[in-house]
Amino acid sequence: MKNIFDIHAKKIFWLSMLIAQVLGFLLFKDLADVSQWVVQSPRETTLWVWYNRWAIALGALVTIAIAGYLKYRRRDIVGNKAFITLGLFFCFTFYSGMINPHIMMRARMDDGVFVSIEAAKKYVKPYESVIVLEINGQARAHSDKQLLRPHVAGNGELGGEHVVMTYCGLTNLGVAYTPEINGQALDLAPMSQLENNLIMFDKNSGEPIQQLWGQTESDYHAGSAARMREWPTFRMPFEKFAEAFPDGEVYVNDYLVEDMRPTFWDNPFLAIYDPVMELIFKLAVAHQATNEEPTFPTLDHIDTRLPSKTLVHGLNIGNDYVAYTEEFVKAQAQPINTTIGGKAVVINYDKALKSLGVFYNTTGQHITKIDFYGQTQHGKLPRVETVKAGAFWVIWANFFPETEINRV
């Protein structure tokens, strides 16, 4: 009987260990986005793993526990070095897939830190591009560097509206949304990246939400029109933001800047962990900005009409998609008057404040002069809310291949 038990114990150990390692690696491969530098999964596989992550994690923990118990009962079932090596590999893959993303990308949806322009001068350089959100006369600036890690930043209402800024460093894109779909409040947090664009999830429902879509995965594939409300955003240098909105606020990442983040004595783990993660993120974003190929080779469609890392202002009205380059708009003698999705639109580059603006032309008149704020000889124009300011062309075109370039 002892020999029979020995044989079965060894088989059960190795079967359990194999299952645990496979499940751990599955979590790592599909939920730890850095893994996509090496191995790529189809979108459907990644989402299947996400929807079933708790069952997969439970299976991984149960089987590794069985293997550990058998090793405890029978010390000679496998060598100590081999067991420790396998155990450490499992811990790495399980942690990377199930735990690390939520520590690495700690969202600030309702508790973001916003400071005055004067205070922000410590953290944001004058020439640094900032993503601006202005609602009912109240304005906020968000630098790419400060948004890079949390991916979602807000602190309640702005101008009487509940709004959050979402950000993807791989796309070089900030999009402002009201975190609500069909009257249901969302609790947004970063999940991963798919096709070099941020994918978030709603903590309440667990539903993934692609940043560029503003919809849940299930609504998008069902053809539903349900999506978060988008707010107009635009880019300009920080010093120009200070000039245009002297009473504006500026977002600061409290776990990035030295005088806000935890010290070693406050939290030894985060004091070491955060600078390392910051370096990894900066390297990935720098690679994305300076190389023709996307950092993660997961794009289905490559459009060569523009160099891949050209920064474009993409927008849509209905199903009509257009992208403008800043250089093209700058070169025009007058504002561009055009039609997008059946609506009259005006595109203009303000040379004084160095910002490209896209406005609905609600006047019924041809616009020959417009200022940064949308003021014209025929009245003030509202900004178009779907503008994605300064996104990399290769990623915009991957999601919206029907895009027309520089329509006049």
Side-chain angles (χ1 to χ4, degrees):
M1 289 296 294
K2 184 176 179 181
N3 290 336
I4 293 175
F5 175 78
D6 288 345
I7 292 171
H8 285 299
K10 203 161 194 174
K11 287 180 179 178
I12 295 170
F13 171 86
W14 284 111
L15 179 61
S16 299
M17 181 60 76
L18 177 62
I19 294 172
Q21 297 294 351
V22 169
L23 294 179
F25 183 75
L26 191 62
L27 294 170
F28 169 74
K29 178 176 70 74
D30 287 283
L31 302 186
D33 60 355
V34 294
S35 63
Q36 294 182 46
W37 275 330
V38 180
V39 57
Q40 289 81 48
S41 292
R43 184 185 188 93
E44 295 75 16
T45 302
T46 297
L47 291 171
W48 183 87
V49 172
W50 170 260
Y51 284 123
N52 295 279
R53 65 194 184 282
W54 297 115
I56 296 170
L58 179 61
L61 290 174
V62 168
T63 49
I64 198 71
I66 292 172
Y69 173 75
L70 291 173
K71 168 63 177 171
Y72 171 76
R73 288 289 303 268
R74 291 290 314 275
R75 302 299 175 89
D76 60 343
I77 204 167
V78 67
N80 289 337
K81 288 183 179 179
F83 181 74
I84 292 171
T85 300
L86 291 169
L88 289 175
F89 183 75
F90 173 82
C91 290
F92 169 77
T93 56
F94 187 89
Y95 170 82
S96 298
M98 287 298 293
I99 301 172
N100 186 60
H102 306 290
I103 302 174
M104 179 173 62
M105 304 180 290
R106 305 193 292 280
R108 289 290 184 264
M109 192 182 99
D110 293 313
D111 58 354
V113 177
F114 291 85
V115 301
S116 68
I117 289 173
E118 192 60 34
K121 290 178 180 178
K122 293 168 55 180
Y123 315 116
V124 185
K125 295 179 174 61
Y127 57 82
E128 202 170 327
S129 176
V130 293
I131 305 156
V132 181
L133 169 64
E134 187 266 328
I135 300 176
N136 297 327
Q138 290 187 276
R140 285 178 177 166
H142 312 74
S143 80
D144 297 75
K145 180 175 65 178
Q146 300 293 330
L147 283 172
L148 184 58
R149 283 277 300 287
H151 291 78
V152 179
N155 66 354
E157 290 189 353
L158 177 69
E161 301 286 352
H162 189 195
V163 62
V164 298
M165 181 65 74
T166 67
Y167 180 77
C168 179
L170 291 170
T171 311
N172 196 54
L173 179 64
V175 184
Y177 287 114
T178 291
E180 180 181 299
I181 296 179
N182 285 338
Q184 296 295 313
L186 307 178
D187 189 357
L188 299 176
M191 171 186 152
S192 184
Q193 64 82 26
L194 285 175
E195 300 175 74
N196 290 256
N197 179 245
L198 168 68
I199 188 162
M200 305 169 282
F201 75 100
D202 172 29
K203 291 183 180 179
N204 298 324
S205 65
E207 272 291 313
I209 300 173
Q210 191 85 45
Q211 183 201 28
L212 275 167
W213 294 338
Q215 294 180 284
T216 65
E217 193 75 18
S218 56
D219 281 338
Y220 177 81
H221 289 292
S224 170
R227 66 192 308 271
M228 293 184 287
R229 179 182 180 181
E230 190 173 348
W231 294 89
T233 56
F234 49 95
R235 281 185 177 268
M236 63 196 310
F238 174 58
E239 61 183 354
K240 297 300 181 181
F241 171 79
E243 184 179 333
F245 304 102
D247 297 323
E249 300 177 322
V250 184
Y251 173 71
V252 177
N253 183 353
D254 59 309
Y255 56 85
L256 168 65
V257 299
E258 290 186 7
D259 54 351
M260 292 186 185
R261 69 187 183 197
T263 67
F264 181 82
W265 304 113
D266 293 328
N267 191 319
F269 172 74
L270 290 180
I272 297 171
Y273 174 89
D274 278 334
V276 173
M277 289 299 106
E278 197 64 30
L279 177 62
I280 292 173
F281 269 77
K282 285 180 178 178
L283 290 174
V285 170
H287 180 275
Q288 183 78 314
T290 56
N291 289 269
E292 278 297 302
E293 296 298 321
T295 296
F296 295 99
T298 54
L299 302 185
D300 292 330
H301 175 75
I302 301 295
D303 192 318
T304 59
R305 287 180 290 167
L306 291 173
S308 66
K309 299 305 169 59
T310 300
L311 298 178
V312 299
H313 285 61
L315 69 143
N316 72 290
I317 298 177
N319 293 319
D320 192 4
Y321 289 80
V322 186
Y324 288 89
T325 64
E326 193 172 281
E327 291 72 18
F328 177 82
V329 179
K330 280 182 181 180
Q332 307 307 303
Q334 289 188 348
I336 298 170
N337 287 255
T338 189
T339 301
I340 301 175
K343 293 190 176 182
V345 173
V346 177
I347 302 98
N348 183 63
Y349 182 80
D350 189 279
K351 294 179 181 178
L353 293 175
K354 299 182 179 179
S355 182
L356 191 153
V358 184
F359 304 87
Y360 289 112
N361 186 353
T362 55
T363 68
Q365 304 293 321
H366 185 83
I367 302 301
T368 58
K369 189 175 181 180
I370 183 171
D371 69 8
F372 166 81
Y373 302 97
Q375 192 66 49
T376 75
Q377 69 270 38
H378 302 291
K380 188 175 181 180
L381 308 185
R383 290 182 182 268
V384 175
E385 72 280 5
T386 61
V387 175
K388 313 297 189 294
F392 290 124
W393 165 250
V394 68
I395 300 163
W396 171 265
N398 173 73
F399 281 88
F400 308 112
E402 65 271 41
T403 295
E404 184 180 336
I405 300 173
N406 293 331
R407 180 183 296 174
V408 295

